[in-house]
Amino acid sequence: MLRTHNCGELSLDKLGVSVKLCGWITHKREFGPILFLMISDRYGMTQVVINDPTLVEKCKKMSAEDVIQVQGIVIDRNENRTDKYPTGAIEVEAKEVTLLNSSKPMPYDHNKEASDTIKLKYRYLDIRKSRIRDILAARGKVTALVRNNLEKNGFLDIETPVLNKSTPEGARDFLVPSRMWKGSFYALPQSPQIFKQLLMIAGMDRYYQVVKCFRDEDFRSDRQPEFTQIDIEMSFAEESDVMELAENMIKEVISGMKPDAVLPGSFPMISYNEAMERFGTDAPDTRYGMELITLDDIFKNSSFNAFANAAKESSMSVKGVIVEGKADSFSRNEIKKMETAVQGDGAKGLAFIKKINGELESPLLKFFSENEINEISSVIPENGILFIVADNRSIALKSMGNFRKRMASELDIIDKTAISPLWVIDFPAFEFSEENNRWVATHHPFTDFDIDAVESGADLSQISSRAYDMVINGHEVGGGSIRIHNIEKQKKVFSILGIGEKEAEEKFGFLLEALQFGAPPHGGIAFGLDRLVMVILGVDAIRDVIAFPKTTSASCLMSSAPSTVTTDQLDELGIKLTEKNNDNN
RNA sequence: GCGGUCGUAGUUAAGUUGGUUAUAACGCCGGCCUGUCAAGCCGGAGGCCGCCGGUUCAAGUCCGGUCGACCGCGCCA
């Protein structure tokens, strides 16, 4: 090695020791015959002092981000010690400084805010100079903890193909044209779902993989075209087996990353319906209260028709959120802004009732009977304000769920250090898609469900699936299910989903056939590694947990991918472009 | 596919009702400086105001389009 120590580990107990350090120059400070160099690496930074006139002349020519090797003696800084960085008590008195490689001036100032554009273009510099390097190190540790836990539990790491068959349902596939089979395409996996089920049928019993998945949809601050799943599947397992395993794994990861984190003995479980009713979302953030309340009973006989109709109609509901201690601090204007926000979720309006000095205040008060006023008053604490949406059930829930979220972040009542995990269970197996005018699988079409209920003619929307999601701090970090292992049941699902026998055969024939060769009961779960790392580290942007991320329009500013290719390459694939797009390189 | 915010030296920003040579800080280059800690002081270079078009005597500024970044909606089993 070119070094004996890294730039973050020297301290007073090494006084007088001859060391070699390697690193990047972060600062150079000249004072005529004396010169200081700060050199750093990912472990820290150390000051080098240069007194020798020849060395000073040599080092004067060096500049920031040059890579150097310093050979010298660790000395005490005495009265010039600093506590601004961990090595601040010592410095290295240089005997020799070797330039290993020079650097052009940095393209941007890493001590200040810089645009995402330039940081993504020079991603390797952003990693070198920012917290990204620590986040990536932490991510590596999360992966190691995961592997360690799963290996300990007898899971086998088995790779599955990246070049796959395109399947219907779900997200848009990334396609890869085939040279040997002109006109045919591989698809990159949206997840290794079918392969892990085939591994169960193959008798591998316990499988896991930390694996890239690809979805060609539109992106957000928490969504990237390629992302990583911790994919897990096990045979002869029921819900509780998968959930217990997953929960223990996550606990081990979190306590490995945050030893001070306080976690519940076992993660609370709530049903999908309860999550929707109490939080207006299937991924509730339980770090704070301010839960939704149902006001149908209070208003079903109200003379205020908008409320009464919603309260009586079964497809509608009156939902409220109480903000405590704020009745006197929201202006008419602020409330107007909140109304605009809930209207963005489709709600017709946002009503409010304040309680100040024991008296209710609201533009709607004149519509309410004494009885209603008493009931409302018993719900609202002094100086509280009740916000209300009366609308279609799904709109009321969604808009108040989002309202709760916005209000919590505006009031800054979220404990950023808390980790609040839970399970959401009893998801509906099927949802009716207005857009496609057919039923679609809520989780995916291989999820087991209560087939007896279907056979006895129950409403499809009321059928529960055997799926479960793990939610931490309002983020769905993982989800899975017990799978269908019976061919007839699987065919039944395809018929419910309107996938014809021929199409099912064409798209999933190999799975359907495999199910007939002694498929064991099995189930599993997949975690989004990127999101898991974000939640554990409290990072907001998925870009920050990925070494080389893409932009929200799925381009790489560093390599300029995607790019056009030569006509020779296209010819070889038998592909002809319909219109000439501008070069985006 | 839709909406919002933004785009001016290498970087981050300022730029007034449209009006002389487009500012500043940091960085860069040159010089000074014996204990700095984002060192300091003096001097200098550096601009397709994202791109295309329009309005105007005159556009960084107004209008239309377009490209890109970010945030959100739809979408993401």
Side-chain angles (χ1 to χ4, degrees):
Chain A
M1 290 295 286
L2 300 176
R3 66 184 178 204
T4 57
H5 298 78
N6 66 48
C7 296
E9 64 179 313
L10 293 176
S11 58
L12 290 168
D13 59 5
K14 292 285 192 300
L15 287 183
V17 175
S18 173
V19 298
K20 280 184 192 165
L21 296 181
C22 291
W24 288 266
I25 298 175
T26 55
H27 303 285
K28 181 178 66 172
R29 293 185 271 267
E30 294 179 47
F31 297 86
I34 186 172
L35 186 149
F36 299 97
L37 292 177
M38 294 296 310
I39 67 168
S40 71
D41 57 21
R42 93 173 158 86
Y43 307 96
M45 61 179 187
T46 303
Q47 175 161 286
V48 178
V49 59
I50 294 131
N51 292 307
D52 177 83
T54 333
L55 264 188
V56 167
E57 280 312 304
K58 185 177 181 183
C59 292
K60 272 185 178 177
K61 297 195 193 85
M62 297 177 182
S63 56
E65 301 307 318
D66 285 353
V67 189
I68 60 171
Q69 179 195 48
V70 176
Q71 192 254 306
I73 308 294
V74 180
I75 60 171
D76 195 332
R77 269 205 228 177
N78 298 315
E79 71 274 17
N80 294 310
R81 286 184 191 179
T82 174
D83 53 12
K84 287 186 179 172
Y85 38 93
T87 63
I90 56 95
E91 60 192 351
V92 172
E93 189 176 44
K95 299 295 175 208
E96 185 53 82
V97 177
T98 308
L99 182 67
L100 299 175
N101 209 345
S102 62
S103 171
K104 287 168 67 175
M106 289 295 100
Y108 69 94
D109 187 345
H110 48 257
N111 290 314
K112 282 199 231 158
E113 285 295 309
S115 69
D116 290 302
T117 313
I118 193 140
K119 286 193 291 188
L120 286 174
K121 179 171 181 189
Y122 296 98
R123 181 63 169 182
Y124 44 91
L125 298 179
D126 197 26
I127 295 171
R128 187 197 295 167
K129 304 305 295 185
S130 75
R131 69 192 183 118
I132 305 287
R133 70 173 186 201
D134 300 321
I135 293 173
L136 292 177
R139 178 183 172 125
K141 198 177 168 196
V142 168
T143 313
L145 288 164
V146 163
R147 288 183 181 282
N148 197 27
N149 177 279
L150 292 171
E151 292 284 341
K152 190 173 71 188
N153 284 301
F155 284 78
L156 301 170
D157 180 359
I158 303 172
E159 294 181 68
T160 53
V162 170
L163 296 175
N164 278 306
K165 185 181 173 73
S166 180
T167 54
E169 300 283 304
R172 193 179 292 119
D173 286 323
F174 275 101
L175 297 176
V176 180
S178 163
R179 173 181 61 85
M180 301 193 128
W181 302 84
K182 289 190 178 43
S184 289
F185 295 81
Y186 301 97
L188 303 182
Q190 294 173 29
S191 81
Q193 181 61 35
I194 292 177
F195 287 98
K196 68 176 176 175
Q197 292 192 235
L198 292 168
L199 286 169
M200 295 304 102
I201 297 170
M204 296 312 290
D205 196 64
R206 293 189 159 209
Y207 143 93
Y208 83 96
Q209 196 179 180
V210 178
V211 62
K212 276 285 179 76
C213 302
F214 306 85
R215 292 177 191 178
D216 189 3
E217 293 293 343
D218 287 344
F219 306 105
R220 296 284 190 283
S221 58
D222 63 346
R223 269 161 39 190
Q224 282 270 311
E226 50 180 305
F227 60 98
T228 305
Q229 277 190 353
I230 302 160
D231 198 40
I232 299 169
E233 196 77 3
M234 54 204 283
S235 293
F236 309 111
E238 299 185 297
E239 289 90 327
S240 56
D241 303 303
V242 180
M243 290 163 80
E244 190 187 331
L245 176 104
E247 187 170 315
N248 287 335
M249 179 188 90
I250 292 300
K251 280 182 189 162
E252 199 167 297
V253 170
I254 291 174
S255 55
M257 299 304 296
K258 303 184 99 177
D260 300 331
V262 180
L263 291 175
S266 65
F267 295 180
M269 271 184 241
I270 72 172
S271 72
Y272 171 83
N273 282 334
E274 189 184 344
M276 293 305 292
E277 290 292 322
R278 286 173 55 192
F279 304 99
T281 170
D282 61 357
D285 190 340
T286 47
R287 286 174 297 176
Y288 56 96
M290 222 160 59
E291 294 184 15
L292 275 55
I293 55 175
T294 302
L295 303 164
D296 291 349
D297 284 344
I298 296 182
F299 291 116
K300 65 188 170 201
N301 296 316
S302 177
S303 57
F304 187 55
N305 286 334
F307 283 7
N309 292 343
K312 279 185 289 199
E313 183 66 45
S314 69
S315 66
M316 299 180 79
S317 192
V318 184
K319 292 284 170 190
V321 165
I322 292 168
V323 181
E324 290 184 32
K326 292 287 170 186
D328 51 3
S329 57
F330 284 127
S331 69
R332 190 75 200 96
N333 202 24
E334 282 172 301
I335 293 175
K336 191 78 207 159
K337 271 188 204 154
M338 296 172 204
E339 179 165 42
T340 309
V342 299
Q343 283 169 337
D345 288 323
K348 284 185 277 296
L350 179 70
F352 67 91
I353 302 170
K354 297 175 174 179
K355 186 179 195 174
I356 295 176
N357 298 326
E359 293 295 316
L360 297 189
E361 287 179 24
S362 169
L364 300 178
L365 224 53
K366 54 179 180 275
F367 295 104
F368 301 144
S369 67
E370 198 176 328
N371 201 23
E372 282 173 272
I373 288 177
N374 287 338
E375 285 194 64
I376 299 165
S377 191
S378 70
V379 171
I380 310 176
E382 174 57 26
N383 200 25
I385 175 165
L386 169 64
F387 290 93
I388 304 170
V389 164
D391 222 302
N392 290 327
R393 174 179 298 277
S394 60
I395 288 176
L397 291 173
K398 183 183 177 187
S399 61
M400 285 319 269
N402 285 335
F403 174 87
R404 171 178 178 266
K405 228 190 284 185
R406 275 192 304 274
M407 187 58 67
S409 79
E410 218 153 279
L411 299 176
D412 201 20
I413 57 170
I414 303 173
D415 177 1
K416 299 275 192 317
T417 62
I419 302 263
S420 184
L422 59 100
W423 288 102
V424 181
I425 56 173
D426 293 334
F427 282 86
F430 306 103
E431 279 173 318
F432 193 78
S433 160
E434 301 290 345
E435 190 193 333
N436 300 313
N437 195 35
R438 66 175 180 89
W439 291 92
V440 295
T442 306
H443 188 55
H444 59 55
F446 315 111
T447 304
D448 200 9
F449 60 98
D450 184 356
I451 195 165
D452 294 339
V454 176
E455 311 259 87
S456 60
D459 181 355
L460 275 183
S461 67
Q462 299 302 311
I463 306 297
S464 281
S465 75
R466 299 181 69 185
Y468 30 82
D469 277 0
M470 188 189 288
V471 173
I472 303 180
N473 297 354
H475 298 270
E476 182 205 323
V477 294
S481 63
I482 300 302
R483 326 297 182 188
I484 296 168
H485 64 276
N486 174 291
I487 178 72
E488 297 308 327
K489 204 170 190 178
Q490 187 64 64
K491 282 183 175 168
K492 176 78 188 172
V493 173
F494 288 143
S495 84
I496 290 171
L497 301 181
I499 299 174
E501 218 163 294
K502 213 176 133 194
E503 190 186 356
E505 189 56 39
E506 199 176 299
K507 304 293 186 185
F508 302 108
F510 60 115
L511 175 68
L512 295 178
E513 186 170 30
L515 287 176
Q516 299 171 66
F517 286 102
H522 62 285
I525 191 166
F527 287 90
L529 176 64
D530 314 274
R531 280 191 196 173
L532 184 63
V533 173
M534 286 169 73
V535 168
I536 293 174
L537 302 181
V539 171
D540 291 325
I542 194 171
R543 278 188 301 278
D544 290 351
V545 303
I546 296 174
F548 299 104
K550 301 213 167 24
T551 67
T552 45
S553 47
S555 67
C556 173
L557 296 178
M558 192 178 64
S559 68
S560 297
S563 60
T564 53
V565 295
T566 65
T567 46
D568 283 353
Q569 285 174 290
L570 290 175
D571 286 345
E572 219 169 21
L573 296 165
I575 289 177
K576 199 170 171 133
L577 299 179
T578 53
E579 67 188 270
K580 186 83 180 125
N581 291 314
N582 292 332
D583 281 7
N584 47 12
N585 312 326

